Amino acid sequence: MSALAGIRIVDFTQGVAGPLATMLLGDFEADVLKVEPPGGDRVRGEPGYLCWNRNKRVTTLNLNTYDGLKAARDLIAGADVAVFDMHPGELERLGLDAATLRAAYPSLIHAWMPPYGTEGRWSQLPADELLLAALSSVSFQQSSYNDQPVYLVTPQIAYGHGVLAAGSIAAALYERAVTGEGRALTVSGLHGVSGVESGGIMRAGEVFRFGSGTSRGGVPNYRLYECADGKWFFLGTLTQGFFLKALEATDMMHLMTLDEVQGEFTNLLRPPALAMAIAALEARFKEKPRDEWLRILHEAGVPRGPVGERNEWFAGETVAANEMRVELDLPSPSGRGDGGEGGKVVLPGVSLKLSETPGSVRALPHAVKEGEWAAEERVGGSDASPPRPLVHSPSRTNGPLAGVRVLDLGAFIAGTFAPAVLAQWGADVIKVEPPEGDAFRTYGLGFVGYNRGKRSVSLDLKRPEGRELFLDLVRKSDVVLDNYRVGVRERLGIDYQTLAGINPRIISVSVTGYGPKGPLAVDPGFDPLIQARSGMMAAQGGGVEPVFYQIPVNDTGTAMMAALGICLALNARARTGRGQEVLTSLANQSVIFQSGEITHYEGRPPALEGGIDYLGPLALRRLYQCADGWLAVSCTEPAHFHSLCIALGHPEWAGRNIAENAMKEAGDGQLSTAVAEALAQMPRDEAVDRLLAKGVPAAPAIRVDELFRDPHLQANRLTTTIEYEPLNVGPIGAVRALSDWEGWEGGYPRSAPICGGHTTEVLAEFGYEDDRIAELLAAGVVRQG
């Protein structure tokens, strides 16, 4: 029996984010019924639909009729979780809002995933990744050559939104297992932005985290390079140690002796040395073919990733070793479902590997008759869900993970951001750092963005006394998370078997680059290395040259997935009393975060590819420059074309173009040229007003500096102000929260910690006397920041 066996979920969502969230829960045996409108899910014709709705049953209801709405309410009455993604006001109109349903069903978890936020001007726009990316500055945060917004060919906000919502629901289910009461929660598209951009949406005074002026990467040690044969690879030397190895292997150590560098690694990251180092390395790597450079760097232990193709990655050894490729029978035209004439569909596997309550891909989405699901006996019997009504109603002053203690051994992003997500849900997170601190602290604002909400203990795990002290902390904790390379936990004596021997309830989570098996298992794994190998960079570049995603796609995705895995394991422990091991990897997320693009069957349409400074695939779905800024337009039906012609003062376009053909015209054709010329004469805000007045979906593409003063984003409280004294930059602007919860203010309880800033405080809480703490400090086993 898996982690969520017996849990019943009614899923009223469409598109990518909502269905992906419930897919992740359904993988662990939650019984998910997807309720679609009479016309079906708006993405039903896309290949990804088969993946995002696997393991689900599907029924059709018209919520705009009395009978349909009554049937929906009956389904909710028998469910544990109801998930919605309607616009603000729609749930209230239908009587499906949190206040109404929670009053009727106190143990219900009501999850709302509005596409743009809960209020404000843009909250009523049709759900669309392009418009959300424009409104939230994600389009402008992607680095470009020409200081312009960029259209991402994979819906990274939606993927992140889905994983974040799944984790929030799992956290709420855990809370209900403890208290017996449900909770209403909101995870909007802007929360999704906050998740994937927690280290990117940062402001210190008037300094913002802008792009680099190139799509190859802005620093010499973490960048794309072209070789003599025209092939590309990513040099992933994020730390000084790795970069010095690279310089030695390439015979470029003289860069450290330049007058502008003077032996200091950090000077290489600043002008003018930065440009000089990039130019020198570009010239050096063009002297030999890629395979030769990859061999040289591999032998020197340097992290590197060849730019590959998506389909080759999905069919390759690493994906297979991690069981991330699953094949199912497509239903045959006869409806027998035996695979016969229907063929096969290949789709991603389960990213999270839970040792005791594993997930599985069991079936493609399949239809059921109205009432069939509700009439079935719940898996696990009547004890699988808490009774209604409640006998006890707990206070709502804490987050869903209140009382859960997490020891965070993570570093950089993927490992350490996962506990930050848990802190945002109310867990007590203790960052356990070596005496020198997390190496990612060098990166200033980025470190702050991914480490909020924690306390820090500085502890030397390599010393026997330090290891014993850590194991003592494990005895009174719930979760231990690390992102060590394969084999390091065993060498340190803190592998799962050891921890479980001390505390059978412990949940041990390990995040790696490429998983525990396969040809790359022992390689160091940084986000862009997996971007390169998995085909993400090649697809965004569209065959011209690869593009480095500014969003740390695999890092943030893996962190949010690991947080979900922890909540699933907590749910299982609430039932069994035992902890377990949870594994995931960046490589796994490279598959999940391209799930719509790699789900394959005979005859599927090709996945979208981009280009350098890519503006969009279609004339009526792309980014356009106005007289004083940029906007995004996204026409999804022929009527939008006629309305656009009128809004821009060119009704004659409709006479020259059949609307259905205009909808298909490429983003660099004659129609796009005409639209670009018309919009270039208008101020951005006027152009947006004209388009919206005629019902054309459009939104401004805001820059990063606009983000902190935009009225819509302020209305939805996207950002907040925090402090972090070590940087000495004054108040810092950052994202506020990753979800909002009924009865609880939420957000992060504190800023990022100083290394060792809470050592004595934490040890005292664990029962250490003052004299013993003083001895440990004097011996250098621990350090107080």
Side-chain angles (χ1 to χ4, degrees):
M1 188 175 291
S2 195
L4 298 181
I7 296 297
R8 308 191 88 180
I9 300 174
V10 189
D11 175 11
F12 292 90
T13 68
Q14 299 184 57
V16 181
L20 176 64
T22 54
M23 177 207 89
L24 292 168
L25 302 174
D27 284 350
F28 289 87
E29 295 187 16
D31 186 2
V32 183
L33 178 69
K34 181 172 168 60
V35 179
E36 295 185 351
D41 189 315
R42 65 177 179 270
V43 302
R44 190 177 184 90
E46 296 183 14
Y49 175 90
L50 295 173
C51 176
W52 307 321
N53 294 288
R54 68 196 191 193
N55 293 335
K56 301 178 189 177
R57 288 178 282 182
V58 182
T59 194
T60 300
L61 292 177
N62 186 347
L63 299 186
N64 292 314
T65 67
Y66 172 79
D67 289 340
L69 190 55
K70 181 179 183 300
R73 289 171 177 162
D74 289 343
L75 291 172
I76 293 168
D80 302 287
V81 183
V83 189
F84 306 92
D85 64 354
M86 299 171 190
H87 289 80
E90 282 298 290
L91 291 178
E92 288 79 2
R93 179 179 68 83
L94 296 169
L96 301 178
D97 56 287
T100 300
L101 292 179
R102 291 270 297 111
Y105 312 113
S107 62
L108 179 72
I109 293 166
H110 185 287
W112 183 31
M113 301 175 63
Y116 299 96
T118 59
E119 55 187 289
R121 181 183 184 188
W122 312 114
S123 63
Q124 298 297 322
L125 284 173
D128 192 301
E129 177 94 356
L130 169 59
L131 301 181
L132 177 58
L135 284 167
S136 61
S137 84
V138 169
S139 297
F140 256 112
Q141 289 199 60
Q142 175 59 42
S143 299
S144 64
Y145 283 98
N146 296 309
D147 187 28
Q148 64 173 65
V150 175
Y151 181 106
L152 300 182
V153 299
T154 54
Q156 293 304 321
I157 302 175
Y159 288 143
H161 186 192
V163 178
L164 197 56
S168 299
I169 293 168
L173 283 167
Y174 169 71
E175 179 189 44
R176 194 185 71 162
V178 174
T179 68
E181 187 175 13
R183 176 102 73 144
L185 60 101
T186 301
V187 185
S188 73
L190 291 178
H191 287 124
V193 170
S194 297
V196 300
E197 288 284 16
S198 281
I201 297 178
M202 303 291 291
R203 168 182 176 171
E206 294 306 311
V207 177
F208 304 88
R209 297 200 73 199
F210 286 110
S212 63
T214 169
S215 56
R216 299 180 184 181
V219 290
N221 58 307
Y222 213 58
R223 195 175 190 276
L224 280 160
Y225 288 100
E226 187 178 16
C227 300
D229 53 2
K231 295 180 180 180
W232 295 77
F233 79 98
F234 195 94
L235 182 66
T237 53
L238 186 60
T239 66
Q240 175 177 333
F242 278 135
F243 189 52
L244 293 179
K245 285 184 178 182
L247 293 182
E248 185 174 1
T250 57
D251 196 25
M252 296 293 286
M253 191 62 80
H254 65 275
L255 291 177
M256 296 298 296
T257 66
L258 295 173
D259 292 340
E260 294 81 1
V261 177
Q262 296 183 347
E264 289 291 331
F265 169 69
T266 52
N267 288 339
L268 274 171
L269 310 183
R270 303 187 183 103
L274 184 148
M276 297 167 63
I278 287 176
L281 286 170
E282 281 186 332
R284 180 69 170 128
F285 286 123
K286 284 188 177 180
E287 294 175 4
K288 298 178 181 180
R290 184 178 70 180
D291 285 350
E292 187 171 349
W293 279 124
L294 291 177
R295 178 186 59 77
I296 291 170
L297 295 172
H298 171 67
E299 291 174 354
V302 175
R304 73 277 160 231
V307 173
E309 297 296 327
R310 179 185 288 146
N311 292 336
E312 292 177 1
W313 174 252
F314 190 41
E317 294 179 75
T318 295
V319 169
N322 286 290
E323 299 177 332
M324 287 303 297
R325 178 183 167 99
V326 176
E327 188 175 280
L328 295 175
D329 290 331
L330 275 169
S332 65
S334 65
R336 294 190 302 272
D338 57 6
E341 300 169 356
K344 302 283 186 178
V345 59
V346 183
L347 61 161
V350 178
S351 172
L352 290 163
K353 314 300 183 183
L354 274 64
S355 61
E356 300 299 319
T357 55
S360 60
V361 179
R362 303 175 297 281
L364 294 174
H366 54 287
V368 295
K369 295 179 180 178
E370 182 182 329
E372 179 181 324
W373 185 77
E376 289 183 358
E377 183 177 352
R378 184 188 297 268
V379 174
S382 59
D383 293 335
S385 178
R388 299 184 177 94
L390 283 174
V391 176
H392 170 62
S393 180
S395 169
R396 288 301 189 187
T397 59
N398 294 315
L401 299 186
V404 174
R405 180 177 280 162
V406 180
L407 301 179
D408 169 20
L409 292 168
F412 301 105
I413 299 175
T416 203
F417 183 46
V421 175
L422 301 177
Q424 201 272 323
W425 294 335
D428 177 18
V429 177
I430 301 167
K431 185 175 177 68
V432 181
E433 300 187 69
E436 65 275 14
D438 182 343
F440 197 57
R441 285 183 177 274
T442 305
Y443 290 84
L445 288 178
F447 172 84
V448 175
Y450 293 118
N451 282 276
R452 293 164 61 194
K454 307 176 184 180
R455 297 184 290 169
S456 173
V457 169
S458 181
L459 168 64
D460 190 349
L461 273 174
K462 295 179 180 179
R463 295 178 59 171
E465 310 97 303
R467 176 180 174 275
E468 290 305 313
L469 192 156
F470 176 75
L471 295 178
D472 204 25
L473 302 184
V474 170
R475 290 183 175 91
K476 298 180 181 180
S477 297
D478 299 283
V479 180
V480 174
L481 183 143
D482 74 86
N483 63 331
Y484 295 135
R485 290 167 66 179
V486 172
V488 172
R489 290 191 302 168
E490 288 74 13
R491 289 200 298 273
L492 291 173
I494 56 171
D495 55 284
Y496 171 63
Q497 287 72 22
T498 300
L499 301 185
I502 293 170
N503 179 359
R505 291 175 57 81
I506 201 71
I507 295 164
S508 177
V509 186
S510 189
V511 173
T512 57
Y514 299 101
K517 301 177 183 177
L520 299 172
V522 298
D523 265 29
F526 292 109
D527 172 85
L529 303 181
I530 287 87
Q531 282 191 34
R533 292 180 182 275
S534 69
M536 288 183 174
M537 290 182 174
Q540 185 64 43
V544 181
E545 70 173 52
V547 171
F548 177 18
Y549 272 60
Q550 181 275 333
I551 297 174
V553 174
N554 303 295
D555 272 341
T556 55
T558 300
M560 292 185 285
M561 191 71 78
L564 165 61
I566 291 166
C567 292
L568 291 170
L570 286 168
N571 275 277
R573 192 183 72 174
R575 187 177 68 240
T576 67
R578 299 186 305 275
Q580 60 181 304
E581 185 176 39
V582 179
L583 303 177
T584 193
S585 68
L586 277 67
N588 289 5
Q589 266 52 256
S590 74
V591 175
I592 297 297
F593 277 57
Q594 296 185 95
S595 50
E597 291 72 31
I598 62 176
T599 295
H600 180 76
Y601 49 82
E602 190 67 30
R604 73 148 281 169
L608 181 64
E609 293 193 348
I612 299 301
D613 289 1
Y614 190 58
L615 294 175
L618 301 170
L620 301 180
R621 179 173 171 75
R622 55 160 276 185
L623 295 149
Y624 282 101
Q625 188 170 19
C626 301
D628 60 350
W630 290 76
L631 61 75
V633 61
S634 183
C635 299
T636 57
E637 54 190 63
H640 288 157
F641 170 61
H642 294 292
S643 299
L644 178 140
C645 296
I646 296 169
L648 298 185
H650 289 279
E652 73 278 7
W653 292 350
R656 295 200 299 262
N657 296 275
I658 298 172
E660 286 75 9
N661 292 338
M663 295 292 295
K664 300 175 185 176
E665 185 162 330
D668 56 358
Q670 292 182 348
L671 178 59
S672 64
T673 299
V675 173
E677 290 174 352
L679 288 170
Q681 308 306 312
M682 297 182 190
R684 181 191 71 183
D685 292 347
E686 176 187 334
V688 171
D689 285 345
R690 286 179 178 273
L691 291 165
L692 292 178
K694 293 299 180 182
V696 179
I702 68 171
R703 292 180 177 271
V704 184
D705 57 343
E706 295 178 85
L707 184 148
F708 291 90
R709 62 176 186 271
D710 180 82
H712 174 74
L713 301 182
Q714 286 185 336
N716 286 279
R717 300 189 301 155
L718 175 68
T719 61
T720 189
T721 300
I722 62 175
E723 301 285 341
Y724 186 67
E725 292 182 4
L727 291 183
N728 194 29
V729 294
I732 297 171
V735 300
R736 177 186 62 86
L738 306 180
S739 52
D740 287 306
W741 298 79
E742 171 192 1
W744 180 53
E745 177 59 27
Y748 292 99
R750 56 181 61 83
S751 184
I754 297 170
C755 182
H758 305 88
T759 297
T760 57
E761 170 188 314
V762 169
L763 292 183
E765 289 179 11
F766 275 81
Y768 281 74
E769 299 291 341
D770 290 347
D771 289 348
R772 179 57 179 155
I773 294 173
E775 290 175 2
L776 292 168
L777 288 167
V781 177
V782 299
R783 184 172 71 86
Q784 176 67 33

